[in-house]
Amino acid sequence: MKSKIFSACVVIPIGLYAIPALAQSKKSAPDAVSPDEIIVTAQRIAQSLQKVPISIAAVTGEALVRSGVTTTTDLPQVAPGLVISRNVFNIKPFMRGVGSALSPLGIENPVALYVDSVYIPNTGAIFFSFSNVDRIEVLRGPQGTLFGRNATGGLINVITSDPSDKFELKAEATFENYSTNTQKAYINGAISDNVSANIAFYNKHQGQGWGKNLITGQDVNSSRETGVRGKLRVDASEALSFVLTGFYTDIGGDLGLARVTIPGSVSADGYTGAISIYDNRGAAPSGGKGTHAGVSLRTDLDIQDNLVLQSTTAWQHASNINRWDIDGSPARGGDVLSDTDQYSFQQELLITRKSDAFDLTAGLFYFQDISKYNNIQIDNSASASVNARRVTRQRTRSYAAFAQATIKLDPRTNITAGLRYTRDETVYDGRRFAVAGNASPPGTLLNASLGLSSNDGALSWRIGIDHELGDNVMAYASYNRGFKSGGFDGPSVPRGALEPERLDAFEIGFKSEFLDRRVRLNVSSFYYDYRNIQLAQVTPTGSQTLNAARAESYGGEAELRVLPEVGLGRLEFGANMTLSHGTYKSFPNGPIGVPKPATCTPVPTTTGPATGGNLNCAGDLSGKKMIRLPDWTASLNFNYTVPIGAGELGLSASYTYNDGFFWEPANRIRQRGYGILGGEISYGFDDNRYKIRVFGRNLTDTKYLTQGSEGAAADLGSPGEPMAYGIGFGFKF
């Protein structure tokens, strides 16, 4: 299988190139139709998607709605190679196998998220829904030069609409099964000659859960979310403008908290799992709430033609209070309460210059983060030693300077070189106290890690070349270095810092449009050498983060878009496919959960039929597959709009298939292959000012997990959304 995947990754870019190359032998007609050209800012300047020598999936806000993508967890449906798992309210993106399964505060995910040029460090704060999104860019591979901050595996770049002087008013209400209703509204317009503003509002409430707690009879797996984002734009002159942004999000529910025993697993009390993955039986009530608020100021100054200075200043605060049952059983074997706060400040200065000879981007970046576990407490009736609460504080200061230049050797060939130096300084304090049930009196200091410090500094870079092989055909190759600082595993009160990650990525690919630009074919392939990987293990006291020594992976993506000529209306097809393979090349003393009865020595072994629960062992995991890295994924989608009567009928559908992957490095529990089908039928009338639509997500009611882990009491997981369907009514002016 390994050789087949490797061959495919090489053959796809080379073999498929023959199609666009032949098609370009005939020059496109002057009036060729372009299939909705998308402008992206992947290199911090506005460029056509087809001109950027990076593997990117870019989707407009309208396309997100048609595809049924409503939150960050749905993004894999439109971004091949992206896998998103959810633990509590934290969203864990994995791109080409690079990601973090259980990122505690202070250990940021290696797939970075930016919203309107602002870095979002809190993984619990990126669980948000899309309301006024202009587009989303998913950049694959290290983006360590221009974005830098922990963008080892890639970047999810969300761009929301800026204010303009054009009046816009749009709103929609939807009603779905599980007593779910959603309201969205957006208004934009001029306040005065030089001042404009917009505001977007989103509210979702799920009144009925996907399942039941079999012990209490209460609903489980439900959520609510309210958010507002507003912008004020001031054009002080033709050369100087300011955009002030403020936002607030409030989330609640128990998605990812009401965990279930994975089918096939035996829990410590002999339970083998309910018929439905949506039902759980935790003795402690599970649920949580979180808020995320922030403000930012972006200043743009046109110094002279094609020379622009941009300043971005931002402050954020994220707060989460969550409670869950760590063993998922009625035995009250580990009730967890977590209360966290995270404050961050960033300042970036960015200067860009475009000319006929070269393009230059350079900048300075400062980031400060304070992450606090005000309380993380475990109450376990079965094991007195774990009854404790921990109070921790971690402060990180990060400094970076970067520059990237693209030199135009001739009209068809460009060379790109970029360099970034990042230095992170982290200070950590953590204390662990006894609580009722512990052998020591409540309040007793059990252990402490005070004044720990970590200083990580490293260079990251990008070296690349791209060449236009013909009209609308570009080939490229690049070598990128990604860096992610070490830091401390906040909730575990560690004795030392983690090692920083390093990723060397090699990529080749091409981008093409042919047949009068009605067909777009983009293909890329990669090879990764990944060192000091930060992975997590679930333990009886919560979780801990550790370093794996080294992994190696390779694969590729192919994306096809077709805009065929039709007699009436507009028809569009899309198809995507990824192939990948990755293994841990060196991973001594890796975490292994072995079903009991079990022994850890001389090697981790199950000694008989599973009796319940797991023994936490360590062993050599070299040769095991990387987690959250499917062998292949594929998706198909179509969208057709046609005028009927005084209005327009819209038909769209999408299907995404994931071949499955392992949840843990020991490769014992696996998410099986699964497919998600979604669709929508809409009708807009009065020039699409009013629209009614019926829609469905997961129409085949596929059962799958969005998170899985090997726990001491059982193998536990969180279910993905079951079949959802509804109707929406909207208007716009």
Side-chain angles (χ1 to χ4, degrees):
M1 181 64 182
K2 178 177 178 179
S3 61
K4 291 180 180 179
I5 292 178
F6 178 76
S7 300
C9 295
V10 175
V11 171
I12 284 177
I14 297 175
L16 288 180
Y17 168 68
I19 300 174
L22 290 173
Q24 292 303 320
S25 62
K26 180 179 179 181
K27 190 174 181 179
S28 299
D31 58 347
V33 178
S34 175
D36 295 344
E37 183 177 32
I38 298 177
I39 301 299
V40 298
T41 53
Q43 298 192 113
R44 308 301 294 271
I45 57 176
Q47 295 173 287
S48 169
L49 172 67
Q50 294 302 101
K51 299 297 183 181
V52 181
I54 299 174
S55 179
I56 307 172
V59 190
T60 64
E62 291 184 0
L64 290 171
V65 174
R66 292 196 304 265
S67 300
V69 175
T70 58
T71 71
T72 41
T73 55
D74 301 325
L75 281 176
Q77 298 178 36
V78 294
L82 179 64
V83 173
I84 293 184
S85 57
R86 180 184 67 232
N87 181 60
V88 193
F89 287 124
N90 298 320
I91 302 304
K92 309 298 182 183
F94 278 74
M95 202 174 300
R96 292 175 170 175
V98 179
S100 180
L102 293 171
S103 298
L105 289 186
I107 299 181
E108 299 155 45
N109 198 284
V111 176
L113 175 80
Y114 276 74
V115 180
D116 293 333
S117 300
V118 176
Y119 172 64
I120 310 295
N122 187 291
T123 57
I126 68 175
F127 184 91
F128 63 89
S129 299
F130 306 126
S131 180
N132 64 326
V133 170
D134 182 69
R135 69 184 182 279
I136 293 180
E137 305 167 4
V138 179
L139 283 62
R140 306 182 185 95
Q143 307 300 318
T145 302
L146 296 181
F147 291 93
R149 180 70 197 166
N150 292 332
T152 313
L155 172 75
I156 300 173
N157 193 22
V158 181
I159 298 94
T160 66
S161 303
D162 269 352
S164 68
D165 56 7
K166 178 183 177 182
F167 175 75
E168 290 181 85
L169 173 62
K170 56 184 179 181
E172 184 186 49
T174 63
F175 305 90
E176 304 178 30
N177 57 333
Y178 296 103
S179 300
T180 301
N181 60 82
T182 305
Q183 303 85 38
K184 295 189 291 185
Y186 175 75
I187 185 170
N188 172 87
I191 298 177
S192 66
D193 289 343
N194 299 317
V195 181
S196 56
N198 66 27
I199 187 168
F201 170 80
Y202 180 90
N203 179 68
K204 179 180 180 179
H205 181 266
Q206 181 185 337
Q208 179 184 352
W210 300 338
K212 294 286 185 180
N213 183 308
L214 302 179
I215 304 301
T216 66
Q218 296 177 335
D219 278 10
V220 293
N221 292 309
S222 65
S223 67
R224 61 167 179 82
E225 181 180 1
T226 300
V228 61
R229 174 178 288 266
K231 291 185 177 183
L232 179 71
R233 180 184 178 93
V234 178
D235 294 317
S237 67
E238 291 187 1
L240 179 64
S241 66
F242 304 91
V243 176
L244 178 66
T245 302
F247 67 90
Y248 176 82
T249 302
D250 186 345
I251 303 173
D254 65 352
L255 290 183
L257 291 166
R259 300 187 299 167
V260 300
T261 302
I262 293 178
S265 169
V266 181
S267 66
D269 61 353
Y271 184 70
T272 57
I275 296 175
S276 170
I277 65 169
Y278 307 110
D279 297 331
N280 84 329
R281 59 192 197 105
S286 296
K289 59 182 180 179
T291 61
H292 184 208
V295 61
S296 66
L297 176 65
R298 190 187 78 221
T299 304
D300 293 285
L301 175 63
D302 291 338
I303 300 174
Q304 61 183 44
D305 290 343
N306 297 318
L307 181 63
V308 178
L309 174 66
Q310 184 181 93
S311 168
T312 302
T313 307
W315 173 89
Q316 300 173 66
H317 172 225
S319 174
N320 291 276
I321 300 177
N322 302 309
R323 185 169 185 173
W324 68 97
D325 190 335
I326 198 170
D327 69 348
S329 80
R332 302 189 74 88
D335 301 343
V336 183
L337 174 66
S338 174
D339 178 0
T340 66
D341 278 293
Q342 185 171 24
Y343 301 86
S344 67
F345 172 82
Q346 94 172 43
Q347 174 63 57
E348 183 180 59
L349 294 175
L350 184 73
I351 189 165
T352 59
R353 184 181 188 275
K354 299 182 68 174
S355 70
D356 294 335
F358 68 92
D359 296 335
L360 174 67
T361 302
L364 300 171
F365 181 83
Y366 172 75
F367 176 79
Q368 177 171 293
D369 177 84
I370 297 176
S371 299
K372 299 190 298 182
Y373 280 90
N374 304 313
N375 180 26
I376 179 166
Q377 181 171 323
I378 295 181
D379 296 298
N380 190 322
S381 59
S383 179
S385 63
V386 303
N387 286 285
R389 70 180 182 92
R390 288 157 285 176
V391 179
T392 74
R393 184 181 188 273
Q394 185 170 176
R395 187 197 69 199
T396 299
R397 289 177 176 168
S398 180
Y399 311 84
F402 59 93
Q404 179 170 298
T406 298
I407 302 172
K408 303 173 183 178
L409 297 181
D410 59 52
R412 290 183 176 270
T413 307
N414 302 313
I415 291 181
T416 299
L419 191 66
R420 184 186 190 105
Y421 179 75
T422 301
R423 182 162 189 83
D424 285 1
E425 300 172 355
T426 305
V427 178
Y428 176 88
D429 291 300
R431 296 172 175 85
R432 183 169 170 264
F433 301 92
V435 298
N438 194 289
S440 300
T444 302
L445 180 64
L446 300 176
N447 65 290
S449 297
L450 304 177
L452 299 182
S453 63
S454 171
N455 295 282
D456 296 325
L459 288 171
S460 52
W461 57 75
R462 174 178 176 80
I463 302 172
I465 183 171
D466 62 89
H467 177 71
E468 292 185 11
L469 300 169
D471 294 337
N472 304 318
V473 181
M474 178 188 69
Y476 64 91
S478 65
Y479 166 40
N480 301 270
R481 161 68 61 86
F483 161 76
K484 179 178 182 291
S485 61
F488 297 89
D489 181 16
S492 67
V493 190
R495 296 189 178 277
L498 293 163
E499 294 293 328
E501 291 184 345
R502 191 192 78 190
L503 176 63
D504 287 321
F506 302 85
E507 182 172 316
I508 61 173
F510 73 83
K511 296 186 175 185
S512 63
E513 291 179 323
F514 51 98
L515 298 180
D516 289 343
R517 301 182 68 186
R518 291 187 176 275
V519 177
R520 176 182 297 166
L521 177 64
N522 295 342
V523 177
S524 60
S525 59
F526 67 91
Y527 169 81
Y528 283 178
D529 184 3
Y530 195 13
R531 297 175 184 268
N532 292 330
I533 308 165
Q534 295 172 10
L535 294 170
Q537 177 187 21
V538 177
T539 68
T541 58
S543 66
Q544 65 177 5
T545 306
L546 56 132
N547 288 106
R550 183 188 173 199
E552 179 184 76
S553 62
Y554 48 83
E557 302 93 13
E559 302 179 52
L560 176 67
R561 190 182 187 196
V562 182
L563 192 67
E565 293 188 60
V566 292
L568 184 64
R570 182 182 185 277
L571 178 62
E572 177 186 342
F573 288 101
N576 305 295
M577 185 173 184
T578 70
L579 297 172
S580 53
H581 180 84
T583 57
Y584 299 107
K585 290 299 181 182
S586 176
F587 197 171
N589 299 314
I592 303 175
V594 186
K596 296 178 180 178
T599 60
C600 287
T601 56
V603 294
T605 307
T606 297
T607 58
T611 58
N614 299 309
L615 189 65
N616 290 322
C617 301
D620 188 358
L621 297 181
S622 302
K624 297 292 187 180
K625 285 191 173 183
M626 294 174 65
I627 61 173
R628 273 76 159 181
L629 183 63
D631 284 342
W632 65 279
T633 67
S635 66
L636 297 170
N637 61 80
F638 89 94
N639 181 61
Y640 181 50
T641 55
V642 58
I644 293 181
E648 184 178 76
L649 177 68
L651 304 172
S652 62
S654 64
Y655 179 77
T656 304
Y657 183 81
N658 186 310
D659 185 49
F661 48 82
F662 290 105
W663 289 112
E664 300 284 10
N667 288 185
R668 188 175 61 80
I669 56 174
R670 176 180 172 85
Q671 169 60 59
R672 296 180 179 178
Y674 64 96
I676 303 295
L677 173 66
E680 176 180 299
I681 302 173
S682 66
Y683 185 74
F685 47 96
D686 192 10
D687 197 24
N688 273 332
R689 289 186 177 182
Y690 305 95
K691 179 177 286 189
I692 181 173
R693 63 188 184 99
V694 292
F695 56 87
R697 300 185 301 274
N698 192 7
L699 289 173
T700 56
D701 202 21
T702 299
K703 293 177 174 57
Y704 65 102
L705 300 177
T706 60
Q707 186 267 339
S709 61
E710 298 172 341
D715 297 331
L716 297 172
S718 302
E721 184 183 33
M723 180 170 60
Y725 51 86
I727 186 170
F729 306 89
F731 68 85
K732 63 178 180 179
F733 295 99

